[in-house]
Amino acid sequence: MTPAVLICLALGSWEWYARESTYPSCGAAGEYFDASSLSCRRCDQGAAGLLREVDPTGLGCWCKAGYARSGNTCIDCVANGLAADRNRVSCLPCGPTTQGLAASARDCTCAGAGEVLADYVGDVLLDEKICIDCTEYGAVPNREDQVCTSGAVGCAAGEAVFEGVCVPADALGEVDNTPGGVVRYDDSVTATSTFLAVEAVIAAAKCRGGAAGAAGCQYLANLCALQVYDTSQGACALYWTLLTTWDGGAGCTPPTCDQPESLPWLLHQQTGTQVAQQVLNREFGFEDGLRLFVAAYTLNGTFLGTEPLGTQVFLCELTEAVAAFGFEFGNNIRSSCRVNDEYLSPGAAAEPLFFEVFIEDTAGTRPVPVRLKTAGDDRPSGDDYDVFFDDPTVRLTAGIDPKNQFYRRFMLYDTVLNPRLVRYASTITVLTAMQSAEDGAVFVPIVTVEYDYVVKTVSRVTDVSQPPSPPDAQQSFRISEAVGDAIPRTVLQHGSRSHVRVFYVESRSQRAVTALIITACCVAFVTSWLKAWAWQRRLVTPYLDLFGVLLRWFVYYCSHFSTYFFIIASGGSLWYFIWFKGQSSISVLVPPPGHVSHLYTVLLWTSWSTRMVDVSYRVYEQCTMWVFLLDWEQPRGRLVNEKKDIPVSMWRMVFAANEFNKLQGYLSMKIYATIFVTVVLLEAFGLQGLTSAQPNGNDLSQDGSYSHPLLRTALAIVLWHGTYLFLYLWEKLVYYRFFAANAVTGFVDLLSLANVSMFLLVERRYGYYVHGKSVHQFADASVREFQVMLKREEEGSIPMRGLAGQSDEQCFDMLIDDALYQFLWETQMVLARERVPAQNPAARPRRCYEYLLGRSNYNILTHEALRHLQELNRRLQELVTKAADEVQVKLPVHRSLGFVPMAFPGTPTRFFVDSDQSWTKCLLVSAEFPLANLALLIYLAIDWSFANAFVAASVAFVLVLAFQTIRKVFGVTNLSRKSMIDDRFFL
């Protein structure tokens, strides 16, 4: 019966159950069960095959009765007048207490019924076979084990004492007695283990002097696994020596053989690509199990048997149902737990077990390759499968770093080699890759075990080779420097964490995504240069403004770059979401989070940062543009006594400026409503369940289930854009048609009623003109007069509101000439210089933030400034009157890239019909979609990192609100300065 071993852990326990399915028996005569390959082999093979038979355990071969092992052959002891010992490895004479050699029994015999024939006392081989009278000691003979008592008998002939243990002398001479016992825990932390240095020699000597594959060899293999296969010294160095020199130098020399016949099979000799691309013969569908099972060994090499893989190899507490669910093809699971370090302390934890994982295929069983990572290892994690398929250098050769190697045997924790440094499996990843959806080929799974360690100490680490201090049950610690004299401990956390991950992936490469990224960068480079060239062309100067061109190119590049990267990230995530969740049979598998985390993190954060540059520059341009208000109102008569025209009221212009100020920072509620609705749909309505990493599962409450960040991204994009599109159509088709007027369109009508036009100069020579000249004689009119004027306009008895009354077009792009630009600049400088402080003691005091933003109530103009302002008004009226007959239509290249018709210095001012309302680029509402995209990108980036929709939505909301506030505050300051309207008039 296989012994049961129980290991208690912090949050649960796992057991190696001695179910009746220990290991299969081989039915054919002369066959034994080889635990290294989990297959039946014959003993009657090779030169010594006729002299061997299956041993009583059924797990190996030994020589036939009367024969003893010598190297790879069996010698006849009886022919030499000797008898074989009970393990049939040595020939011994029959001692004087025996009745001599019986040829028929091929062994020595005893006279009395109470005597037992013995050749061992404990583990010590005697010089000769003796008969012991068990009755003298009050014992009963046990002839099956050939012993009834033990005594202080020294080592037998041919054996030597090593550290108090008898080992074969010849074998001890053949192995290195000082292999070293340094154990590496990470690149900077090492510790010397006396246990390893001694036990490795004992195990190697017993393995070399005993039967192939016996307990000594298994013990040596387990010690090598405890070292995490450091071949430079210790048990692994001895294992490597035995592997290459067994059978008189004809051993297994990698890579000429894969499975050694003389030692436990610990490592794969093929390249990493060859190991990882072993295709299974089975076809898999939904809910098809992988049929994994595990073989277990004790530390001393005892084979415990096999059973289906469940929770045995996980430190976390997983139920059998969750484990079975995770091993159904396509169901990704992820679990994490905190392991109390007290249970990993020497004496508290049970002796470590050693595992090998196998998978059942139609052609038989196959070993599952295991990849090991130690603390400080900077290689990709177990869910980054490209390293398995794209790295052909993963091969073990003599003396190579074992980081690039696939193994078979591993352990969960080590409390044996050093009592102060406890190594444990912090993460176990089982990754199964499908080659492609077309052929459905599935590769052999790959298990990645990532080890970490804790330091068991109370105050300081001085000499890790000394006996341990009592473990701290409340804290676990991790060394961040090399272990040496007086290194203070570093608190890690209350208990160490262990993670379990089961992933199913496709062996798709990221080359396609990389190609798209390179293409996007190239396209963005070209289109941004076209936009920058168009900007230089609008300057209408023979000189190249190098700094200005480079600055605009960078801004345009950021805008286009962000758009293209967002399309790539959105397209990739949506593709996986649609095909992964909508498939009826397995054709698409989502990549593990760790595999795509770096790529999508770079895509999202890069796209967000470049969009941030784009939106910030848009806001900056809007807050620094030139704004001029042109008053068309004429005096209604003259004052006869004063001999001057009746003054025109300024309130129409102040009213228009206030309305424009409101529009500067205006945003509809679409962005805020989109953020709110998206979070409500995800969290309140439970749509988050659609992001589970199972193709046919929508329940995140099940143990092991988790929300895949790639699917979270796709679902958030769908909900975000769906909500925004619905709100846009609602505003466009319903709200502004039946419930309210569009504020932007209403502002143009307001200018016409106020008889005020607006010049907006966003570049040196390029800007927009909104024509507000009233078609009525006066705008300063009573209510009755207004009613009459509007009635006449409705009847069509007066000209249209457009330029020269010939059309309804009131918005234009304009490219001004050199003379007008120079005059505007000089006028602006004069108006800025000709100011006097307000003398009104009741003037509004400046608020705190106004000192920082530069807002001032010192905008009272002198007579000289007022004269220049009137002259500016007159010049602009003349400009509009002359340009009315030469208005041009915007060409497609002008609309898309901003290329205006060729102009030269001296070319007169040109007006272009702005039927698509381009003048709104001076308002924040024109950046609403880029701002919504910016909010979405920050939402996706934060949600990817923290998997929290509330935090992501809150940050997105604050970001939009911050930009709106900045646009309002700096916008009113700029409007006050450029329009020369005292900021006290702005509400």
Side-chain angles (χ1 to χ4, degrees), residues 565 572 644 919:
F565 266 37
K644 65 178 181 179
W919 74 273

Side-chain angles (χ1 to χ4, degrees), residues 360-516:
E360 182 180 342
D361 198 9
T362 55
T365 59
R366 297 194 184 195
V368 174
V370 178
R371 180 168 168 261
L372 303 178
K373 285 185 60 180
T374 56
D377 192 345
D378 57 356
R379 290 179 301 156
S381 299
D383 52 0
D384 190 353
Y385 55 85
D386 275 353
V387 68
F388 306 138
F389 296 96
D390 296 338
D391 186 1
T393 64
V394 183
R395 182 197 295 274
L396 183 65
T397 56
I400 199 171
D401 188 342
K403 289 181 177 181
N404 295 325
Q405 175 63 38
F406 287 105
Y407 302 94
R408 287 188 49 178
R409 190 170 298 188
F410 65 95
M411 47 80 184
L412 291 184
Y413 59 88
D414 168 28
T415 58
V416 176
L417 293 186
N418 193 288
R420 287 180 181 264
L421 295 170
V422 177
R423 196 192 318 254
Y424 69 97
S426 61
T427 302
I428 296 180
T429 304
V430 181
L431 185 141
T432 306
M434 185 172 67
Q435 185 171 2
S436 66
E438 288 75 18
D439 54 24
V442 176
F443 297 112
V444 173
I446 296 175
V447 176
T448 300
V449 182
E450 302 179 37
Y451 290 110
D452 203 348
Y453 65 93
V454 291
V455 179
K456 298 312 214 174
T457 183
V458 175
S459 57
R460 302 173 74 84
V461 178
T462 56
D463 184 4
V464 296
S465 65
Q466 297 298 321
S469 302
D472 186 349
Q474 301 299 323
Q475 300 278 343
S476 65
F477 310 104
R478 176 175 178 175
I479 293 179
S480 58
E481 306 174 57
V483 176
D485 294 336
I487 295 178
R489 69 184 184 182
T490 303
V491 176
L492 176 64
Q493 58 188 2
H494 291 275
S496 305
R497 297 201 66 86
S498 183
H499 308 271
V500 177
R501 304 182 300 185
V502 180
F503 297 131
Y504 299 84
V505 301
E506 290 181 76
S507 59
R508 298 178 184 269
S509 176
Q510 295 182 7
R511 294 189 182 95
V513 179
T514 304
L516 286 176

